[in-house]
């Protein structure tokens, strides 16, 4: 087979790229090693920046997001027995976040691609990349796809970045000394907006997926396994970390799923290697504290789709040449914000009394300073796109 762009990975990055390119008449084939059911059910991020929501709407895949998603105009920082609202509507007027699960975005994109006749192939085993400096191709058990470009959108553990020859990639990485226990529960949210709670017991986040389903996270040791926590222990700890302000009671309900997410930061530079272009988690990951992973993937794809579209319209390669530098400017801004939020809110085991007092002073400053609150707000809702 032959196509113009071979896309590895049917996550948000690969699916959105396929949809945008197909809309411009550019032939694509998407290869995914997992099943469609797995891709549509994997629970991941659920906070969409303003620019991400606008992108999905402009691409014609935002109808269900607008009908079922929850638009939030602020978040709460909870510490020291008080709650402090960071009001996006006051600090960054006209910009908000939309709470809408990543798996729902994936469902919408799969449906749109199939409706448009895009060649999506699931459960493709043994994918390998070749010819990235000359004649790019993808091979798997029983098949081969020749293409002009390969878009590596297959995540942190995928084959795309691993196919880059030694010495051509610089990796920047930081691992945090804790993990997040993620809990999905069949219970109505106890707060109207996301609550970031910092306490002596560790960090905790109260989020939501719908009017009847809530999502919670607990800071836990990095070696934690989901089976280490019973439902009773989960609710006890969530209550201890969230019921720290007068009048707040955390509603409980059946636990639907429990998972553990490692906390790390990673950036691969550059993001282009000949005819191979990395996007999303294949090129960079952030700790989920700042809710940037999915949003960075969408930002990458916007740049890449524009660059490939211009290449096929006019033969210009300057946008492709600038792809990595263009994306990395936004990536490093998000890296800093995610690191900042993580260090601001989590309890570090090796922190001494001085470190803890500094952390509390920083939290007080964010809560009391309009300038600091504005910096948090504009980074959280995400910068607008340029060009």
């Amino acid at each position: 087979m032959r196509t113009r762009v071979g896309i590895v990975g049917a996550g948000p990055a690969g699916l959105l790229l396929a949809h945008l390119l197909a809309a411009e008449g550019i032939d694509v084939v998407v290869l995914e090693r997992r099943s469609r059911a797995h891709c549509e059910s994997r629970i991941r991020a659920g906070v969409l920046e303003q620019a991400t929501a606008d992108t999905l709407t402009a691409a014609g895949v935002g109808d269900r997001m607008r009908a079922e998603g929850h638009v939030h105009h602020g978040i709460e920082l909870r510490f020291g027995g008080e709650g402090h609202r960071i009001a996006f509507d006051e600090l960054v007027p006209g910009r908000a976040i939309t709470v809408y699960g990543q798996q729902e975005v994936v469902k919408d994109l799969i449906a749109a691609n199939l409706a448009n006749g895009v060649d999506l192939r699931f459960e493709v085993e043994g994918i390998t990349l070749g010819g990235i400096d000359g004649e790019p191709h993808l091979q798997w058990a029983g098949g081969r796809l020749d293409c002009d470009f390969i878009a590596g959108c297959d995540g942190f553990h995928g084959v795309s970045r691993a196919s880059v020859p030694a010495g051509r990639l610089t990796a920047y990485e930081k691992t945090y000394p804790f993990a997040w226990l993620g809990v999905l529960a069949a219970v109505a949210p106890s707060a109207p907006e996301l609550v970031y709670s910092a306490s002596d017991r560790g960090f905790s986040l109260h989020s939501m997926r719908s009017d009847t389903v809530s999502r919670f996270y607990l800071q836990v040791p990095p070696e934690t396994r989901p089976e280490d926590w019973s439902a009773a222990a989960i609710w006890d700890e969530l209550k201890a970390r969230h019921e720290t302000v007068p009048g707040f009671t955390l509603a409980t309900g059946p636990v639907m799923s429990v998972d553990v997410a490692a906390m790390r930061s990673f950036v691969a530079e550059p993001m282009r290697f000949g005819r191979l272009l990395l996007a999303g988690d294949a090129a960079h990951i952030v700790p989920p504290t700042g809710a940037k992973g999915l949003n960075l993937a969408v930002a990458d794809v916007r740049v890449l789709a524009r660059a490939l579209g211009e290449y096929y319209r006019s033969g210009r390669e300057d946008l492709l040449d600038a792809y990595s530098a263009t994306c990395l400017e936004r990536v490093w801004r998000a890296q800093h914000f995610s690191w900042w939020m993580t260090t601001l809110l989590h309890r570090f085991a090796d922190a001494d009394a001085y470190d803890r007092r500094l952390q509390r002073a920083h939290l007080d400053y964010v809560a009391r300073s309009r300038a600091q609150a504005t910096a948090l707000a504009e980074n959280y809702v995400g910068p607008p796109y340029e060009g």
Side-chain angles (χ1 to χ4, degrees):
M1 297 185 301
R2 178 165 188 87
T3 192
R4 285 180 164 179
V5 181
I7 300 173
V8 186
L15 291 168
L16 180 58
L17 179 61
H19 180 69
L20 294 176
L21 294 179
E24 295 199 44
I26 300 170
D27 294 334
V28 301
V29 175
V30 181
L31 304 179
E32 168 59 51
R33 70 183 183 90
R34 304 273 192 177
S35 68
R36 177 179 176 180
H38 175 89
C39 294
E40 292 184 336
S41 62
R42 188 182 182 194
I43 304 297
R44 296 289 298 278
V47 174
L48 308 183
E49 295 177 357
Q50 182 69 57
T52 299
D54 292 344
T55 296
L56 295 175
T57 297
V61 290
D63 290 350
R64 201 160 65 90
M65 174 195 69
R66 293 196 303 276
E68 301 177 14
H70 292 69
V71 177
H72 288 189
H73 297 281
I75 60 172
E76 180 185 330
L77 299 184
R78 186 173 294 182
F79 63 92
E82 296 182 12
H84 306 269
R85 185 171 186 262
I86 306 299
F88 304 153
D89 43 0
E90 297 177 11
L91 300 169
V92 283
R95 291 153 67 190
I97 59 169
T98 300
V99 178
Y100 187 65
Q102 176 172 310
Q103 74 277 12
E104 305 304 326
V105 174
V106 167
K107 290 176 187 176
D108 296 340
L109 287 168
I110 287 176
N113 275 293
L114 292 176
N116 292 334
V118 173
D119 191 346
L120 302 184
R121 302 189 178 208
F122 296 96
E123 300 182 78
V124 179
E125 297 288 347
I127 301 170
T128 61
L129 285 66
I132 64 174
D133 288 315
E135 299 179 354
H137 58 271
L138 298 165
Q139 288 184 271
W140 62 97
R144 173 179 168 126
L145 176 69
D146 295 303
C147 45
D148 300 332
F149 297 95
I150 298 173
C153 305
D154 51 344
F156 182 73
H157 298 289
V159 299
S160 295
R161 191 180 69 253
S163 300
V164 177
R168 295 181 61 181
L169 179 152
T170 300
Y172 302 89
E173 187 166 13
K174 179 179 181 61
T175 301
Y176 297 87
F178 40 75
W180 272 14
L181 186 78
V183 180
L184 194 69
V187 60
S190 300
E193 297 174 333
L194 276 68
V195 178
Y196 286 76
S197 181
S199 74
D200 291 340
R201 303 179 69 94
F203 168 77
S204 183
L205 173 62
H206 176 302
S207 183
M208 63 281 296
R209 287 294 178 267
S210 70
D211 292 331
T212 58
V213 176
S214 297
R215 181 72 162 158
F216 303 93
Y217 297 97
L218 285 167
Q219 176 187 347
V220 294
E223 66 275 10
T224 298
R225 302 171 302 169
E227 56 268 27
D228 295 339
W229 286 76
S230 66
I234 288 170
W235 289 120
D236 286 346
E237 192 61 29
L238 284 169
K239 280 178 166 289
R241 299 191 194 186
H242 279 287
E243 292 181 347
T244 57
V245 297
F248 180 83
T249 300
L250 185 71
T252 64
V255 172
M256 301 165 64
S257 67
V258 181
D259 57 79
V260 176
M263 298 286 283
R264 64 163 65 92
S265 301
F266 177 87
V267 180
E269 292 189 7
M271 291 170 57
R272 180 187 179 184
F273 305 88
R275 295 280 171 158
L276 169 63
L277 301 114
L278 303 178
D281 285 0
H284 43 73
I285 57 174
V286 290
T289 323
K292 294 301 167 200
L294 170 60
N295 295 293
L296 283 178
V298 171
D300 291 348
V301 166
R302 282 179 56 103
V303 177
L304 182 52
R306 181 184 178 211
L308 287 169
E310 188 59 45
Y311 172 82
Y312 284 111
R313 279 191 300 272
S314 66
R316 284 175 48 194
E317 296 193 37
D318 55 311
L319 297 182
L320 281 171
D321 293 339
Y323 168 69
S324 183
T326 302
C327 291
L328 285 170
E329 182 176 353
R330 194 182 191 98
V331 166
W332 278 110
R333 174 85 296 277
Q335 288 284 339
H336 177 264
F337 177 66
S338 299
W339 166 86
W340 180 78
M341 286 281 284
T342 301
T343 56
L344 179 69
L345 295 164
H346 288 75
R347 173 67 65 178
F348 287 78
D350 61 351
D352 57 22
Y354 179 84
D355 295 329
R356 289 192 290 272
R357 291 293 290 129
L358 278 181
Q359 187 180 47
R360 174 56 187 273
H362 197 171
L363 281 165
D364 286 336
Y365 187 34
V366 173
R368 296 171 182 170
S369 165
R370 185 177 179 88
Q372 280 285 291
T374 301
L376 192 160
E378 67 182 14
N379 279 277
Y380 200 93
V381 302
Y385 294 126
E386 298 179 0

